[in-house]
Amino acid sequence: MTQLQNPSPLAALDQANKSLASHPKGGISAPDQVTVTAVTHWTDKLFSFQTDRPPGFRFQSGEFAMIGLVDDEGKAVTRAYSIASPHWDDDLEFYSIIVPDGPLTSRLRHVQIGDKIILRPKTTGTLGLARLRDGQRLYLLATGTGFAPFAALIRDPEIYERFEQVILVHGCRTIAELGYSQKIVADSRAHPLIGEMVTRQLHYVPSVTRENFTQTGRITTLLADGKLASSLSLPPLDPAFDRIMICGSIGLNQDIAAQLLEKNFHEGNLSSPGDYVIERAFVGDGI
Ligand code: FAD
Ligand code: A2P
């Protein structure tokens, strides 16, 4: 059986987090705090925000960190968040769901400019270019907030150096839920430094499942019936040329991995770079 996700990065962060949380001052030292500099609400369930970036906070595009808030009892409540900004950016950006009763997001949804957020210094993740073999095309497949790591990667010049074409597919229920990815792609195309590469090499395929739109259907269906490749005039998926990053719910991740296995794609890791890599966009779905 294929291992869908190596749990060790999250476990390592959890461990780091627990040891910080047991610190006498609740584990929040000044370097673990950042200040919110911008907030945008996209729907009643989705928002993004930016923070300043502590000097020395380094990460690879596509990685995640633990961020959070202090609760009413002074305890740090932190969760894994993909960093949506690329590694070269002066600011940090995050894209967040709102879970109405969620321990973190029921409060994080109210953050405003000037508020302090906890940001743990360790970053990790499996959506790294170093885990993929060279290839011609890179497919980035996301649903919902799973777009966040790709918001970083599509703004990283390295992917355009490694791959001739980058195909970003973002699946959501409604058109409104595409608002953030549409804005990031539009801004990236207009960016003075990366805009030319993005315009030339990035194909953006937004798709919705519960409304009429220019592209409808689940990512799994678009892949299985070959519609995705054919709509872009690309050949069918082939492990000789295509590399894939996946970030969504456990169901999406499993369903795509099953399709890729049938086509003889191999999951990559650092010691043995492969054809595809997977990250969960969240922990849930009864696991
Ligand atoms: P929790 O108690 O953490 O979650 C409650 C339930 O809400 C979960 O069981 C699940 O069913 C559902 N849920 C949680 N997060 C999501 C989500 N993002 N989309 C759909 N349903 C969800 N969340 C983000 O919003 N943005 C990110 O960039 C992000 N990156 C993550 C990266 C990794 C590697 C992992 C493991 C999770 C990531 N998450 C992200 C999820 C995040 O860690 C929290 O679960 C989320 O912020 C909700 O926190 P909470 O305390 O309010 O609720
Ligand atoms: P659908 O509307 O058919 O459920 P969610 O908001 O539940 O996280 O879903 C985000 C998007 O991911 C929706 O378009 C949803 O389609 C789709 N989706 C959910 N589960 C899967 C899956 N197992 N495979 C492919 N797409 C999925």
Side-chain angles (χ1 to χ4, degrees):
M1 203 175 117
T2 312
Q3 193 177 359
L4 283 182
Q5 186 188 359
N6 179 356
S8 58
L10 192 57
L13 276 191
D14 260 353
Q15 191 46 49
N17 194 30
K18 276 180 194 136
S19 44
L20 281 163
S22 63
H23 187 275
K25 285 182 185 160
I28 306 141
S29 58
D32 278 0
Q33 285 198 345
V34 287
T35 305
V36 175
T37 54
V39 184
T40 306
H41 283 260
W42 299 94
T43 69
D44 59 350
K45 293 201 186 77
L46 293 166
F47 68 109
S48 60
F49 59 94
Q50 291 180 337
T51 70
D52 60 353
R53 179 172 177 171
F57 181 83
R58 284 163 189 257
F59 64 99
Q60 305 285 322
S61 302
E63 286 190 324
F64 65 91
M66 302 300 284
I67 70 168
L69 292 171
V70 179
D71 69 13
D72 295 339
E73 282 135 33
K75 209 176 123 232
V77 178
T78 57
R79 292 285 184 271
Y81 266 77
S82 297
I83 303 168
S85 44
H87 70 84
W88 50 261
D89 208 329
D90 290 340
D91 300 313
L92 297 175
E93 187 171 305
F94 301 95
Y95 179 47
S96 183
I97 189 86
I98 294 171
V99 182
D101 301 321
L104 177 63
T105 57
S106 61
R107 295 175 56 245
L108 193 65
R109 67 187 297 179
H110 300 297
V111 288
Q112 292 182 357
I113 293 171
D115 288 350
K116 302 278 186 203
I117 300 262
I118 299 165
L119 171 72
R120 301 300 193 200
K122 275 183 190 285
T123 63
T124 186
T126 53
L127 301 176
L129 290 172
R131 291 168 192 259
L132 291 178
R133 297 195 290 132
D134 282 338
Q136 266 179 25
R137 291 172 289 267
L138 174 64
Y139 284 81
L140 306 174
L141 309 178
T143 54
T145 58
F147 169 67
F150 301 148
L153 281 159
I154 62 164
R155 291 183 277 180
D156 190 331
E158 194 189 339
I159 69 168
Y160 302 105
E161 284 155 16
R162 290 254 336 249
F163 298 95
E164 287 166 25
Q165 288 172 298
V166 178
I167 300 105
L168 166 67
V169 189
H170 188 201
C172 291
R173 294 181 183 196
T174 65
I175 299 165
E177 290 170 355
L178 293 170
Y180 180 65
S181 65
Q182 287 174 326
K183 172 88 165 73
I184 293 291
V185 170
D187 287 355
S188 305
R189 285 182 177 144
H191 193 279
L193 296 179
I194 57 167
E196 215 180 296
M197 280 189 253
V198 176
T199 305
R200 197 173 50 233
Q201 291 169 255
L202 178 73
H203 301 280
Y204 170 52
V205 184
S207 186
V208 302
T209 46
R210 303 198 186 188
E211 282 179 355
N212 284 328
F213 188 54
T214 46
Q215 176 79 67
T216 56
R218 286 184 160 200
I219 294 178
T220 37
T221 313
L222 298 176
L223 275 184
D225 64 13
K227 238 172 150 185
L228 176 63
S230 66
S231 71
L232 298 167
S233 304
L234 296 174
L237 282 185
D238 182 342
F241 304 108
D242 296 314
R243 302 291 165 259
I244 303 177
M245 292 189 176
I246 306 152
C247 189
S249 62
I250 188 78
L252 172 102
N253 291 355
Q254 277 173 338
D255 291 349
I256 294 186
Q259 283 192 33
L260 294 180
L261 270 183
E262 274 182 21
K263 294 182 198 297
N264 222 12
F265 280 75
H266 295 287
E267 190 168 1
N269 57 49
L270 284 178
S271 56
S272 175
D275 309 317
Y276 73 95
V277 285
I278 297 190
E279 191 102 271
R280 266 187 273 175
F282 56 91
V283 179
D285 293 331
I287 36 161

